[in-house]
Amino acid sequence: MHKPAEPTLIQRTGFLYFPLALVSRLPYAMMVIGVLTLVVSARGSVELGGLNSAAVGLGVACFGPFIGAAADRYGQRPVLLIVGAANSVMLGFLAWVAFSDLPIAWVFLASFLSGATAPQTSPMSRSRLVTIVKTELPPVKRPRTLSNILAYESAADEVIFVFGPVFVGLLATTMGAWAPIVGAAVLTLIFVTAFALHRTGSPERTAGASIGEVAPSSELFRPGLIVTVIGIFAVGVFFGSALTSLTSFMRDRGDAESAGLFYGVMGVGSAICAIGVAALPERFSLRTRWPIFAAIIVVGGVLLQFAHDIPSMMLALAVQGIGIGPLLVTLYSFGALRSPSGRSATVMTLLGTSLMVGQSAAAAITGVLADGRGTAAALVMPLAAASLALTVGVVNFLITPRDRRLDPPQDR
């Protein structure tokens, strides 16, 4: 008799899951830069654009964790179907109201509601895959498979968060500043709905645990997880400040709509390096990777201070890209390994929320600096964000036991 073949991740998800999960998170990554581009074009102010991006982040911050907690309790499918439909409506409303004669307060409201209804497909995808690995695959396969999927998911996020703005730039320059937000609404309606209906979204609880196995909420406040959340927040600050300062840089040259296209330069090395993290040896531990990758971003941030033309700007962004992708992989790996039992969707949504909040807050602050003190002042923000990531990485290095590597599920 032949021994039954051991189950694999692909058998459980199907091949179509991965492109579906990739495209369904694109609208989320388009929102901040899309709102920035929309409002700058419609209302003529980088400051107002940044503040509306911050309103998106505030909406995500207020409601994102509750969406994750609802998914842990009721299942991802009904939650995603409801918020996906609501988000499509809110994005459409935002695209209309920005160019209307209504006061700017209505634009702020629409931005906030767009963030509040963001579907959170990226953390939902992580939660699904982590749950499948931990509950359905043979124990011997779990550590390496978990490492691979976390590397893939972080690389996918990196690709989307870098090329989302490129897509925004393409739509804005070819069709108008309204097009990215309308496009995000259409993509949400189609692909988030498909993601919700995928067979991996059917379990009643994405954490795969019964009520009795769900860890108390106090487990979410462990020092290791708090430090990880702060690290993700710093990455979000980097994304938002780099994007907004680049928009100001290009506006000085009369071409603000092209900022998203030039921002894609950072994505090439970033995506390649993020995918390559899975091949790094285990002896190069997570606790060591964090400060090293953050230090590379700091170097790029220093180069940014001397960027006075487009080639030097592209060089600085390329250097930062080498560090930002692997750092994102490292942070999400810590998040997955430190998730309390039954709280997978909550933790992943919390990390995604922190990323968006950091991005939105930085967009607002950087926009104010750009309008009030000029592009040179705005370019300091990405360096400050990188320095914060490095500082928190050093703290994490000190509080993480020396012998922990890539696959200790008990590490919290």
Side-chain angles (χ1 to χ4, degrees):
M1 294 179 64
H2 293 286
K3 183 179 179 181
E6 294 181 335
T8 65
L9 183 65
I10 294 295
Q11 288 174 344
R12 176 66 178 86
T13 63
F15 285 102
L16 290 179
Y17 173 82
F18 294 95
L20 175 60
L22 184 70
V23 178
S24 65
R25 72 187 76 187
L26 181 59
Y28 188 86
M30 292 170 62
M31 273 201 294
V32 170
I33 183 61
V35 169
L36 179 67
T37 303
L38 175 71
V39 177
V40 169
S41 178
R43 303 287 171 141
S45 169
V46 175
E47 180 177 353
L48 284 178
L51 290 172
N52 273 276
S53 293
V56 173
L58 181 61
V60 173
C62 291
F63 290 93
F66 292 106
I67 292 174
D72 275 331
R73 183 174 180 85
Y74 302 110
Q76 290 190 14
R77 180 169 295 169
V79 173
L80 284 172
L81 288 173
I82 293 171
V83 298
N87 190 242
S88 295
V89 173
M90 289 301 104
L91 288 172
F93 175 65
L94 173 60
W96 173 79
V97 77
F99 285 99
S100 73
D101 294 328
L102 291 175
I104 190 64
W106 283 93
V107 184
F108 280 118
L109 176 62
S111 297
F112 175 82
L113 293 175
S114 295
T117 56
Q120 310 285 336
T121 51
S122 177
M124 298 289 187
S125 178
R126 273 188 181 81
S127 177
R128 291 186 192 188
L129 296 179
V130 169
T131 297
I132 292 171
V133 170
K134 289 184 175 181
T135 61
E136 299 184 29
L137 297 191
V140 68
K141 286 187 175 182
R142 292 175 187 173
R144 177 50 57 187
T145 305
L146 183 62
S147 175
N148 288 339
I149 65 161
L150 290 174
Y152 162 78
E153 282 287 311
S154 297
D157 269 349
E158 179 63 18
V159 169
I160 289 299
F161 267 96
V162 171
F163 288 100
V166 176
F167 192 44
V168 168
L170 286 171
L171 291 175
T173 54
T174 58
M175 300 179 66
W178 57 269
I181 294 299
V182 173
V186 174
L187 288 173
T188 296
L189 192 62
I190 296 173
F191 289 97
V192 172
T193 298
F195 179 75
L197 296 175
H198 190 271
R199 69 187 190 216
T200 56
S202 60
E204 293 185 1
R205 290 186 180 83
T206 56
S210 65
I211 290 293
E213 294 172 330
V214 176
S217 57
S218 60
E219 292 286 310
L220 297 171
F221 297 96
R222 286 177 175 267
L225 192 53
I226 292 175
V227 167
T228 305
V229 169
I230 297 174
I232 285 278
F233 173 80
V235 171
V237 172
F238 171 78
F239 279 134
S241 59
L243 210 49
T244 308
S245 60
L246 179 59
T247 300
S248 178
F249 184 85
M250 296 306 300
R251 184 187 62 169
D252 293 346
R253 287 150 182 80
D255 194 16
E257 289 80 6
S258 297
L261 295 175
F262 286 105
Y263 189 67
V265 170
M266 188 176 72
V268 177
S270 179
I272 293 173
C273 293
I275 294 171
V277 166
L280 293 175
E282 290 188 0
R283 63 179 178 273
F284 186 16
S285 64
L286 289 178
R287 67 194 287 264
T288 304
R289 294 178 191 184
W290 184 340
I292 288 179
F293 294 143
I296 295 174
I297 307 172
V298 170
V299 172
V302 172
L303 292 176
L304 205 61
Q305 309 312 304
F306 301 96
H308 299 298
D309 54 23
I310 290 179
S312 58
M313 171 63 74
M314 298 303 99
L315 174 62
L317 289 173
V319 171
Q320 290 177 315
I322 294 172
I324 197 67
L327 178 59
L328 201 58
V329 174
T330 301
L331 290 168
Y332 272 114
S333 297
F334 269 122
L337 297 174
R338 290 168 170 172
S339 295
S341 175
R343 297 283 183 177
S344 177
T346 303
V347 169
M348 291 304 169
T349 304
L350 184 61
L351 296 179
T353 297
S354 298
L355 187 72
M356 177 65 86
V357 169
Q359 186 181 27
S360 301
I365 295 171
T366 309
V368 171
L369 286 174
D371 276 1
R373 296 183 176 272
T375 298
L379 289 172
V380 175
M381 284 294 294
L383 176 58
S387 300
L388 174 61
L390 177 58
T391 301
V392 181
V394 172
V395 172
N396 182 76
F397 183 88
L398 296 175
I399 68 172
T400 303
R402 184 185 301 272
D403 60 342
R404 298 294 173 86
R405 295 184 179 182
L406 286 174
D407 55 359
Q410 74 277 15
D411 180 14
R412 297 188 177 90

